[in-house]
Amino acid sequence: MFSQIEQLLKEVNSFYPKSKEELEAFRVKYLGKKGLLSSLFNGLKEAAPHDKKSAGLSINNLKNAVLNKINSHKNTFEQVIKKNSIDTSRPIRLNSFGSRHPISLIKNQIIDIFKKIGFGISEGPEIEDDWHNFSALNLPKEHPARDMQDTFFLQTNPDLLLRTHTSSVQVRHMENNPPPIRTISPGRVYRNEVISARAHCLFHQIEGLYIDERVSFADLKQTIMYFAKEMFGEETRIRLRPSFFPFTEPSAEVDIYWGLKNDSDYRITKGTGWLEILGCGMVDPNVLENCKINSKTHSGFAFGMGIERIAMLKYGVTDLRLFFENDVRFLKQFSAL
Ligand code: DAH
């Protein structure tokens, strides 16, 4: 009996199934009802009493070897089966790479629109000095128009402030580049405002500047019209309302016709159907001179718009604060754009 068990143990140990079926046959051969192990266990009854214990141990040992063999190979076959059962026609599940922030989406869109007509991009510092943010732009100290923009000043140096608009980049660009100039300047700006659905202490603007010989108001209007149509659709209508900015003369605010189709249109356009999208004007000769550009030979136009405002209109967002809260439920909605 012992030599038979030993022989079987050798057999078991050297057994390597090539298929699931072979493994099953092996299982039946050893563990089946009429299998070798049950006949060995039956045989125990006839064993000599002093052999019973060690014979039992040996049979158990053999049984364990059989079970180990089956278990270790069962897994390999299951894996193979799983591999082969991959359905290659199933649509793939794309990994989620996150989404661009709506402010970045709109900013990039605006940049692309102006790039197409030859505008480059310029940037300036967010901590700005009085000259670039105010004085050079025809806003001397004590000028009441400074009140239009509530400013954060730096406590350590009263000449420094967080820029209140990207118009400061106009000045820097003109100081450092001779005309002709065609540039847009996107960036963050800061104002000391109470945070609400319509105002924030931090927001984004894009400034535009065009300086050359004989640039006219008609050029400005045409450029803004092109922009409005690219941004809001070919059918878009614009109107220019006279306005005031210290750095442009004449100045205008531009509205697009939004329509009065529903309650919300009435609310956001205050019943007029028109919505303001930007401020603009012909660069004041004083500003040109402040930036060492000859106002006798050169003229130009400038415009500035809030990116949040455009984004709110494009995406139907009614609360400005959503852009700054980074709530993924809000941001995820832009992942397809
Ligand atoms: N800087 C103005 C603001 O922040 C926007 C603006 C208006 C910019 C007219 C311009 C401009 O360049 O010509 O409210």
Side-chain angles (χ1 to χ4, degrees), residues 60-292:
N60 261 329
N61 200 17
L62 176 67
K63 187 180 171 184
N64 286 337
V66 170
L67 288 173
N68 283 342
K69 195 59 104 180
I70 291 173
N71 281 336
S72 64
H73 289 283
K74 193 174 80 188
N75 289 345
T76 35
F77 288 123
E78 268 176 9
Q79 273 169 14
V80 171
I81 288 161
K82 263 189 204 145
K83 251 189 217 157
N84 289 341
S85 66
I86 287 173
D87 177 358
T88 50
S89 68
R90 268 176 61 180
I92 54 166
R93 192 188 305 144
L94 286 171
N95 282 335
S96 164
F97 293 118
S99 49
R100 281 207 192 283
H101 194 280
I103 295 302
S104 301
L105 289 170
I106 294 290
K107 183 185 82 177
N108 293 341
Q109 227 174 314
I110 299 174
I111 288 173
D112 286 345
I113 291 172
F114 283 102
K115 257 192 190 164
K116 279 202 241 170
I117 53 170
F119 280 71
I121 299 171
S122 49
E123 284 182 340
E126 290 175 25
I127 297 177
E128 196 43 286
D129 54 36
D130 185 282
W131 170 255
H132 292 97
N133 197 79
F134 289 129
S135 300
L137 288 163
N138 233 2
L139 276 149
K141 286 211 164 75
E142 319 308 333
H143 193 292
R146 284 199 181 196
D147 282 352
M148 286 161 79
Q149 302 178 354
D150 289 324
T151 310
F152 288 117
F153 289 93
L154 265 67
Q155 229 168 15
T156 45
N157 181 347
D159 189 52
L160 293 180
L161 47 91
L162 297 181
R163 67 177 177 198
T164 56
H165 52 183
T166 43
S167 302
S168 56
V169 189
Q170 274 192 35
V171 178
R172 288 185 175 273
H173 197 80
M174 283 191 275
E175 283 174 343
N176 296 314
N177 299 277
I181 290 171
R182 256 179 265 149
T183 187
I184 52 169
S185 323
R188 282 189 211 117
V189 300
Y190 303 84
R191 289 192 200 172
N192 191 1
E193 304 249 9
V194 176
I195 296 171
S196 71
R198 317 186 95 242
H200 212 285
C201 57
L202 155 72
F203 55 102
H204 300 76
Q205 286 188 333
I206 289 200
E207 187 79 10
L209 180 69
Y210 190 123
I211 309 282
D212 205 342
E213 291 168 13
R214 291 193 296 279
V215 177
S216 72
F217 201 92
D219 298 321
L220 166 60
K221 188 178 165 196
Q222 204 57 37
T223 306
I224 299 298
M225 184 118 103
Y226 157 78
F227 164 73
K229 289 188 173 195
E230 289 282 310
M231 194 74 210
F232 295 102
E234 194 47 41
E235 302 303 313
T236 306
R237 285 193 285 146
I238 62 167
R239 76 174 181 189
L240 280 78
R241 268 183 298 107
S243 184
F244 170 77
F245 299 104
F247 28 90
T248 43
E249 182 58 38
S251 305
E253 279 171 297
V254 176
D255 299 337
I256 57 169
Y257 190 69
W258 192 253
L260 287 170
K261 296 173 290 298
N262 53 38
D263 284 356
S264 134
D265 292 348
Y266 268 89
R267 199 163 18 84
I268 61 172
T269 69
K270 300 195 182 88
T272 65
W274 292 92
L275 268 179
E276 187 211 318
I277 55 161
L278 57 84
C280 62
M282 300 305 291
V283 180
D284 192 298
N286 284 344
V287 176
L288 294 175
E289 296 293 339
N290 283 341
C291 304
K292 309 271 179 302

Side-chain angles (χ1 to χ4, degrees), residues 313-331:
L313 296 176
K314 281 284 277 195
Y315 299 133
V317 176
T318 52
D319 192 326
L320 184 62
R321 288 168 290 198
L322 285 166
F323 292 122
F324 303 97
E325 281 165 0
N326 282 336
D327 185 330
V328 284
R329 290 168 304 176
F330 173 69
L331 297 176

